[in-house]
């Protein structure tokens, strides 16, 4: 799935949307420090009142919110696992009987809590739903509505949420004219910050992909690897942050830790071209040959074998491929940090060509070429002769 696919489904989670039908909501309550189901309850989603529906809709949108490879990860299923998650979810997706679907979701619940007691009470919510995406009309003058023909996307979404401790309050009773101590006994389920979740199957180009699942982490760049491997049976992943760190280590290993800003700007520009030129639906990747070409085009003289050796040393895999979008995820708005003891400067990658470190009279300076007067807190800086 790309960000467009994810956004397309996320936008559907709103009350009274005729393109999204949520048939059933299944909630499972897990007591803290246990690995047993305390209670579960199923109900048709349409039987909830509007306020409840909106609470859950916002929760489901949060599960599908975040950058790919930072908070959202498309996982490929492993094939050789017992109690295979792909099979459990596929059965649940195809089941026509409510009890059969609930049984499959309870199997998933057992995988979530097995050997993994939570520090707080947890609620695991499952929905089975169908998203209907209108096909584009080929003939704009045709009489039929674009909704007369739709792509049908049945799916299962899971959201895992912690509970909050009941409130203890000291209150004043106006009627009795007395102070009272009040304590709520019922825990509050926090639907504003899901701990984890997933969407099955993935969707690409209006087609369901049952060989992949979309995993949602609680925080960006902090995926739960136990959940990925043992609960979802997904293959190993690298976050965008880790991929970028690998790239930087490879560059340092190949050309050293000193690069002219103009060269670095060209490197990022070349990688950004790779991202922009790839076909929609594909994930642009860089192997050691691609990195060697990027460096050569940027003016660094390197050999492909040296780059391959660096990949092998850093990732234990000479054939490892970096996601180009992890290195320059938001090229035009992304900031590159220039760190000094005096100040930290943030500048966009394409503007690195205007930055230089120069030596003058035994001192080092960061020099930035500008087209107009710089400002400090609304005051224009006066031009000074260099070295005064």
């Amino acid at each position: 799935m790309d960000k467009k696919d994810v956004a397309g489904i996320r936008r559907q989670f709103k009350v009274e949307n005729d393109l999204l039908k949520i048939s059933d909501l299944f909630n499972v309550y897990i007591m803290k420090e246990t690995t047993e189901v305390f209670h579960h309850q199923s109900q048709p989603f349409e039987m909830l009142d509007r306020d409840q529906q909106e609470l859950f809709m916002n929760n489901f949108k949060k599960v599908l919110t975040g950058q790919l490879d930072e908070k959202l990860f498309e996982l490929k299923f492993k094939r050789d696992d017992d109690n295979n998650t792909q099979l459990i979810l596929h059965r649940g997706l195809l089941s026509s009987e409510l009890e059969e679907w609930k049984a499959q979701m309870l199997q998933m619940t057992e995988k979530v809590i097995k050997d993994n007691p939570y520090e707080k009470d947890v609620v695991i919510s499952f929905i089975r739903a169908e998203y209907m995406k209108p096909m584009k009309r080929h003939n704009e003058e045709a009489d039929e509505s674009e909704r007369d023909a739709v792509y049908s996307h049945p799916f299962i979404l899971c959201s895992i949420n912690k509970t909050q401790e009941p409130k203890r309050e000291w209150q004043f009773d106006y009627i009795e004219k007395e102070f009272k101590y009040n304590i709520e006994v019922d825990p509050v389920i926090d639907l504003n910050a899901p701990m984890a979740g997933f969407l099955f199957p993935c969707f690409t180009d209006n087609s369901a992909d049952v060989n992949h699942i979309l995993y949602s982490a609680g925080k960006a760049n902090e995926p739960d690897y136990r959940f990925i491997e043992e609960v979802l049976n997904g293959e190993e992943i690298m976050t965008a942050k880790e991929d970028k760190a690998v790239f930087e280590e490879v560059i340092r290993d190949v050309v050293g830790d000193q690069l002219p800003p103009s060269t670095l700007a060209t490197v990022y520009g070349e990688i950004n071209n790779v991202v922009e030129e790839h076909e929609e639906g594909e994930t642009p990747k860089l192997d050691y040959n691609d990195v060697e070409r990027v460096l050569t085009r940027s003016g660094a003289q390197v050999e492909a074998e040296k780059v391959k050796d660096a990949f092998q040393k850093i990732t234990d895999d000479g054939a490892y491929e970096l996601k180009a979008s992890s290195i320059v995820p938001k090229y035009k708005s992304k900031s590159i940090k220039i760190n000094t003891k005096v100040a930290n400067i943030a500048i966009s990658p394409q503007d690195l060509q205007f930055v230089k470190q120069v030596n003058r009279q035994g001192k080092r300076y960061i020099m930035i070429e500008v087209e107009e007067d710089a400002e400090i807190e609304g005051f224009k800086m006066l031009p000074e002769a260099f070295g005064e």
Side-chain angles (χ1 to χ4, degrees), residues 75-79 81-86 111 227-235:
L75 310 177
K76 185 176 182 180
F77 286 113
K78 293 178 182 176
R79 293 286 186 178
D81 284 329
D82 296 329
N83 194 24
N84 189 285
T85 293
Q86 182 182 17
K111 293 185 65 126
F227 194 92
I228 290 171
E229 295 174 14
E230 298 179 20
V231 178
L232 300 181
N233 304 140
E235 292 186 352

PDB file of all heavy atoms in Angstrom, residues 75-79 81-86 111 227-235:
ATOM      1  N   LEU A  75       3.545  -5.356   6.011  1.00  0.00           N
ATOM      2  CA  LEU A  75       4.302  -6.565   6.326  1.00  0.00           C
ATOM      3  C   LEU A  75       3.933  -7.699   5.378  1.00  0.00           C
ATOM      4  O   LEU A  75       2.752  -7.876   5.047  1.00  0.00           O
ATOM      5  CB  LEU A  75       4.013  -7.027   7.761  1.00  0.00           C
ATOM      6  CG  LEU A  75       4.111  -5.992   8.886  1.00  0.00           C
ATOM      7  CD1 LEU A  75       3.720  -6.644  10.208  1.00  0.00           C
ATOM      8  CD2 LEU A  75       5.509  -5.415   8.968  1.00  0.00           C
ATOM      9  N   LYS A  76       4.930  -8.443   4.993  1.00  0.00           N
ATOM     10  CA  LYS A  76       4.686  -9.663   4.225  1.00  0.00           C
ATOM     11  C   LYS A  76       4.627 -10.824   5.193  1.00  0.00           C
ATOM     12  O   LYS A  76       5.457 -10.953   6.093  1.00  0.00           O
ATOM     13  CB  LYS A  76       5.806  -9.882   3.202  1.00  0.00           C
ATOM     14  CG  LYS A  76       5.547 -11.077   2.291  1.00  0.00           C
ATOM     15  CD  LYS A  76       6.634 -11.202   1.230  1.00  0.00           C
ATOM     16  CE  LYS A  76       6.338 -12.378   0.299  1.00  0.00           C
ATOM     17  NZ  LYS A  76       7.383 -12.534  -0.736  1.00  0.00           N
ATOM     18  N   PHE A  77       3.621 -11.691   5.036  1.00  0.00           N
ATOM     19  CA  PHE A  77       3.469 -12.825   5.942  1.00  0.00           C
ATOM     20  C   PHE A  77       4.567 -13.860   5.724  1.00  0.00           C
ATOM     21  O   PHE A  77       4.975 -14.128   4.593  1.00  0.00           O
ATOM     22  CB  PHE A  77       2.117 -13.517   5.721  1.00  0.00           C
ATOM     23  CG  PHE A  77       0.943 -12.751   6.253  1.00  0.00           C
ATOM     24  CD1 PHE A  77       0.000 -12.214   5.386  1.00  0.00           C
ATOM     25  CD2 PHE A  77       0.762 -12.583   7.617  1.00  0.00           C
ATOM     26  CE1 PHE A  77      -1.092 -11.521   5.871  1.00  0.00           C
ATOM     27  CE2 PHE A  77      -0.325 -11.891   8.113  1.00  0.00           C
ATOM     28  CZ  PHE A  77      -1.258 -11.353   7.245  1.00  0.00           C
ATOM     29  N   LYS A  78       5.021 -14.433   6.827  1.00  0.00           N
ATOM     30  CA  LYS A  78       5.882 -15.605   6.730  1.00  0.00           C
ATOM     31  C   LYS A  78       5.018 -16.798   6.348  1.00  0.00           C
ATOM     32  O   LYS A  78       3.855 -16.878   6.725  1.00  0.00           O
ATOM     33  CB  LYS A  78       6.566 -15.877   8.074  1.00  0.00           C
ATOM     34  CG  LYS A  78       7.572 -14.818   8.478  1.00  0.00           C
ATOM     35  CD  LYS A  78       8.160 -15.163   9.833  1.00  0.00           C
ATOM     36  CE  LYS A  78       9.151 -14.092  10.295  1.00  0.00           C
ATOM     37  NZ  LYS A  78       9.656 -14.369  11.660  1.00  0.00           N
ATOM     38  N   ARG A  79       5.594 -17.731   5.660  1.00  0.00           N
ATOM     39  CA  ARG A  79       4.817 -18.851   5.131  1.00  0.00           C
ATOM     40  C   ARG A  79       4.838 -20.088   6.023  1.00  0.00           C
ATOM     41  O   ARG A  79       3.949 -20.914   5.974  1.00  0.00           O
ATOM     42  CB  ARG A  79       5.352 -19.248   3.751  1.00  0.00           C
ATOM     43  CG  ARG A  79       5.124 -18.197   2.688  1.00  0.00           C
ATOM     44  CD  ARG A  79       3.690 -18.149   2.274  1.00  0.00           C
ATOM     45  NE  ARG A  79       3.459 -17.241   1.153  1.00  0.00           N
ATOM     46  CZ  ARG A  79       2.281 -17.074   0.588  1.00  0.00           C
ATOM     47  NH1 ARG A  79       1.239 -17.725   1.042  1.00  0.00           N
ATOM     48  NH2 ARG A  79       2.130 -16.230  -0.412  1.00  0.00           N
ATOM     49  N   ASP A  81       4.893 -20.549   9.451  1.00  0.00           N
ATOM     50  CA  ASP A  81       4.546 -20.477  10.866  1.00  0.00           C
ATOM     51  C   ASP A  81       3.327 -21.330  11.175  1.00  0.00           C
ATOM     52  O   ASP A  81       2.374 -21.406  10.395  1.00  0.00           O
ATOM     53  CB  ASP A  81       4.259 -19.031  11.280  1.00  0.00           C
ATOM     54  CG  ASP A  81       5.542 -18.229  11.434  1.00  0.00           C
ATOM     55  OD1 ASP A  81       6.555 -18.836  11.799  1.00  0.00           O
ATOM     56  OD2 ASP A  81       5.523 -17.023  11.168  1.00  0.00           O
ATOM     57  N   ASP A  82       3.350 -21.988  12.354  1.00  0.00           N
ATOM     58  CA  ASP A  82       2.160 -22.673  12.841  1.00  0.00           C
ATOM     59  C   ASP A  82       1.181 -21.626  13.354  1.00  0.00           C
ATOM     60  O   ASP A  82       1.566 -20.517  13.693  1.00  0.00           O
ATOM     61  CB  ASP A  82       2.538 -23.636  13.974  1.00  0.00           C
ATOM     62  CG  ASP A  82       3.464 -24.750  13.489  1.00  0.00           C
ATOM     63  OD1 ASP A  82       3.333 -25.128  12.303  1.00  0.00           O
ATOM     64  OD2 ASP A  82       4.309 -25.210  14.281  1.00  0.00           O
ATOM     65  N   ASN A  83      -0.081 -21.998  13.440  1.00  0.00           N
ATOM     66  CA  ASN A  83      -1.103 -21.061  13.923  1.00  0.00           C
ATOM     67  C   ASN A  83      -1.004 -19.761  13.130  1.00  0.00           C
ATOM     68  O   ASN A  83      -0.936 -18.668  13.682  1.00  0.00           O
ATOM     69  CB  ASN A  83      -0.923 -20.804  15.425  1.00  0.00           C
ATOM     70  CG  ASN A  83      -2.125 -20.118  16.051  1.00  0.00           C
ATOM     71  OD1 ASN A  83      -3.233 -20.219  15.542  1.00  0.00           O
ATOM     72  ND2 ASN A  83      -1.897 -19.425  17.148  1.00  0.00           N
ATOM     73  N   ASN A  84      -0.998 -19.909  11.817  1.00  0.00           N
ATOM     74  CA  ASN A  84      -0.685 -18.816  10.898  1.00  0.00           C
ATOM     75  C   ASN A  84      -1.718 -17.693  10.943  1.00  0.00           C
ATOM     76  O   ASN A  84      -2.911 -17.923  10.763  1.00  0.00           O
ATOM     77  CB  ASN A  84      -0.587 -19.388   9.475  1.00  0.00           C
ATOM     78  CG  ASN A  84      -0.060 -18.392   8.492  1.00  0.00           C
ATOM     79  OD1 ASN A  84      -0.753 -17.493   8.085  1.00  0.00           O
ATOM     80  ND2 ASN A  84       1.205 -18.556   8.112  1.00  0.00           N
ATOM     81  N   THR A  85      -1.249 -16.473  11.187  1.00  0.00           N
ATOM     82  CA  THR A  85      -2.137 -15.307  11.272  1.00  0.00           C
ATOM     83  C   THR A  85      -2.855 -15.056   9.963  1.00  0.00           C
ATOM     84  O   THR A  85      -4.041 -14.710   9.947  1.00  0.00           O
ATOM     85  CB  THR A  85      -1.331 -14.063  11.682  1.00  0.00           C
ATOM     86  OG1 THR A  85      -0.865 -14.232  13.014  1.00  0.00           O
ATOM     87  CG2 THR A  85      -2.180 -12.802  11.614  1.00  0.00           C
ATOM     88  N   GLN A  86      -2.153 -15.208   8.862  1.00  0.00           N
ATOM     89  CA  GLN A  86      -2.773 -14.992   7.556  1.00  0.00           C
ATOM     90  C   GLN A  86      -3.987 -15.894   7.379  1.00  0.00           C
ATOM     91  O   GLN A  86      -5.047 -15.446   6.918  1.00  0.00           O
ATOM     92  CB  GLN A  86      -1.762 -15.255   6.443  1.00  0.00           C
ATOM     93  CG  GLN A  86      -2.323 -15.001   5.045  1.00  0.00           C
ATOM     94  CD  GLN A  86      -1.308 -15.320   3.948  1.00  0.00           C
ATOM     95  OE1 GLN A  86      -0.323 -16.014   4.189  1.00  0.00           O
ATOM     96  NE2 GLN A  86      -1.555 -14.817   2.750  1.00  0.00           N
ATOM     97  N   LYS A 111      -3.220 -14.837  20.451  1.00  0.00           N
ATOM     98  CA  LYS A 111      -1.863 -14.568  19.956  1.00  0.00           C
ATOM     99  C   LYS A 111      -1.323 -13.258  20.514  1.00  0.00           C
ATOM    100  O   LYS A 111      -0.138 -13.127  20.804  1.00  0.00           O
ATOM    101  CB  LYS A 111      -1.864 -14.519  18.416  1.00  0.00           C
ATOM    102  CG  LYS A 111      -2.167 -15.853  17.757  1.00  0.00           C
ATOM    103  CD  LYS A 111      -2.025 -15.779  16.250  1.00  0.00           C
ATOM    104  CE  LYS A 111      -0.611 -15.516  15.849  1.00  0.00           C
ATOM    105  NZ  LYS A 111      -0.045 -16.461  14.904  1.00  0.00           N
ATOM    106  N   PHE A 227       5.299  -8.103  18.424  1.00  0.00           N
ATOM    107  CA  PHE A 227       3.963  -8.092  17.828  1.00  0.00           C
ATOM    108  C   PHE A 227       4.051  -8.422  16.338  1.00  0.00           C
ATOM    109  O   PHE A 227       3.250  -9.205  15.813  1.00  0.00           O
ATOM    110  CB  PHE A 227       3.330  -6.714  18.036  1.00  0.00           C
ATOM    111  CG  PHE A 227       1.854  -6.656  17.762  1.00  0.00           C
ATOM    112  CD1 PHE A 227       0.946  -6.861  18.779  1.00  0.00           C
ATOM    113  CD2 PHE A 227       1.374  -6.397  16.484  1.00  0.00           C
ATOM    114  CE1 PHE A 227      -0.427  -6.811  18.540  1.00  0.00           C
ATOM    115  CE2 PHE A 227       0.018  -6.349  16.229  1.00  0.00           C
ATOM    116  CZ  PHE A 227      -0.889  -6.552  17.262  1.00  0.00           C
ATOM    117  N   ILE A 228       5.024  -7.827  15.660  1.00  0.00           N
ATOM    118  CA  ILE A 228       5.192  -8.067  14.226  1.00  0.00           C
ATOM    119  C   ILE A 228       5.477  -9.534  13.932  1.00  0.00           C
ATOM    120  O   ILE A 228       4.865 -10.150  13.062  1.00  0.00           O
ATOM    121  CB  ILE A 228       6.323  -7.181  13.663  1.00  0.00           C
ATOM    122  CG1 ILE A 228       5.887  -5.717  13.644  1.00  0.00           C
ATOM    123  CG2 ILE A 228       6.739  -7.632  12.263  1.00  0.00           C
ATOM    124  CD1 ILE A 228       6.997  -4.742  13.305  1.00  0.00           C
ATOM    125  N   GLU A 229       6.416 -10.112  14.677  1.00  0.00           N
ATOM    126  CA  GLU A 229       6.878 -11.466  14.377  1.00  0.00           C
ATOM    127  C   GLU A 229       5.970 -12.551  14.953  1.00  0.00           C
ATOM    128  O   GLU A 229       5.637 -13.525  14.260  1.00  0.00           O
ATOM    129  CB  GLU A 229       8.306 -11.646  14.894  1.00  0.00           C
ATOM    130  CG  GLU A 229       9.311 -10.744  14.178  1.00  0.00           C
ATOM    131  CD  GLU A 229      10.695 -10.812  14.789  1.00  0.00           C
ATOM    132  OE1 GLU A 229      10.946 -11.740  15.579  1.00  0.00           O
ATOM    133  OE2 GLU A 229      11.525  -9.925  14.495  1.00  0.00           O
ATOM    134  N   GLU A 230       5.548 -12.398  16.207  1.00  0.00           N
ATOM    135  CA  GLU A 230       4.817 -13.479  16.872  1.00  0.00           C
ATOM    136  C   GLU A 230       3.306 -13.364  16.721  1.00  0.00           C
ATOM    137  O   GLU A 230       2.619 -14.381  16.644  1.00  0.00           O
ATOM    138  CB  GLU A 230       5.197 -13.519  18.356  1.00  0.00           C
ATOM    139  CG  GLU A 230       6.671 -13.815  18.585  1.00  0.00           C
ATOM    140  CD  GLU A 230       7.032 -13.833  20.065  1.00  0.00           C
ATOM    141  OE1 GLU A 230       6.109 -13.989  20.899  1.00  0.00           O
ATOM    142  OE2 GLU A 230       8.228 -13.686  20.377  1.00  0.00           O
ATOM    143  N   VAL A 231       2.789 -12.148  16.710  1.00  0.00           N
ATOM    144  CA  VAL A 231       1.338 -11.978  16.588  1.00  0.00           C
ATOM    145  C   VAL A 231       0.918 -11.958  15.123  1.00  0.00           C
ATOM    146  O   VAL A 231       0.018 -12.689  14.712  1.00  0.00           O
ATOM    147  CB  VAL A 231       0.872 -10.687  17.296  1.00  0.00           C
ATOM    148  CG1 VAL A 231      -0.635 -10.495  17.116  1.00  0.00           C
ATOM    149  CG2 VAL A 231       1.225 -10.733  18.776  1.00  0.00           C
ATOM    150  N   LEU A 232       1.579 -11.134  14.327  1.00  0.00           N
ATOM    151  CA  LEU A 232       1.191 -10.986  12.924  1.00  0.00           C
ATOM    152  C   LEU A 232       1.939 -11.922  11.987  1.00  0.00           C
ATOM    153  O   LEU A 232       1.573 -12.037  10.819  1.00  0.00           O
ATOM    154  CB  LEU A 232       1.404  -9.532  12.482  1.00  0.00           C
ATOM    155  CG  LEU A 232       0.606  -8.470  13.254  1.00  0.00           C
ATOM    156  CD1 LEU A 232       0.886  -7.081  12.695  1.00  0.00           C
ATOM    157  CD2 LEU A 232      -0.882  -8.764  13.220  1.00  0.00           C
ATOM    158  N   ASN A 233       2.986 -12.594  12.493  1.00  0.00           N
ATOM    159  CA  ASN A 233       3.807 -13.492  11.658  1.00  0.00           C
ATOM    160  C   ASN A 233       4.352 -12.762  10.437  1.00  0.00           C
ATOM    161  O   ASN A 233       4.393 -13.308   9.331  1.00  0.00           O
ATOM    162  CB  ASN A 233       3.016 -14.719  11.209  1.00  0.00           C
ATOM    163  CG  ASN A 233       2.438 -15.503  12.369  1.00  0.00           C
ATOM    164  OD1 ASN A 233       1.322 -15.979  12.295  1.00  0.00           O
ATOM    165  ND2 ASN A 233       3.185 -15.642  13.454  1.00  0.00           N
ATOM    166  N   GLY A 234       4.751 -11.504  10.632  1.00  0.00           N
ATOM    167  CA  GLY A 234       5.292 -10.727   9.536  1.00  0.00           C
ATOM    168  C   GLY A 234       6.800 -10.889   9.423  1.00  0.00           C
ATOM    169  O   GLY A 234       7.482 -11.225  10.392  1.00  0.00           O
ATOM    170  N   GLU A 235       7.312 -10.643   8.225  1.00  0.00           N
ATOM    171  CA  GLU A 235       8.753 -10.704   8.012  1.00  0.00           C
ATOM    172  C   GLU A 235       9.431  -9.493   8.646  1.00  0.00           C
ATOM    173  O   GLU A 235       8.800  -8.491   8.954  1.00  0.00           O
ATOM    174  CB  GLU A 235       9.062 -10.771   6.507  1.00  0.00           C
ATOM    175  CG  GLU A 235       8.611 -12.077   5.866  1.00  0.00           C
ATOM    176  CD  GLU A 235       9.055 -12.195   4.420  1.00  0.00           C
ATOM    177  OE1 GLU A 235       9.574 -11.191   3.873  1.00  0.00           O
ATOM    178  OE2 GLU A 235       8.895 -13.284   3.841  1.00  0.00           O
TER     179      GLU A 235
END
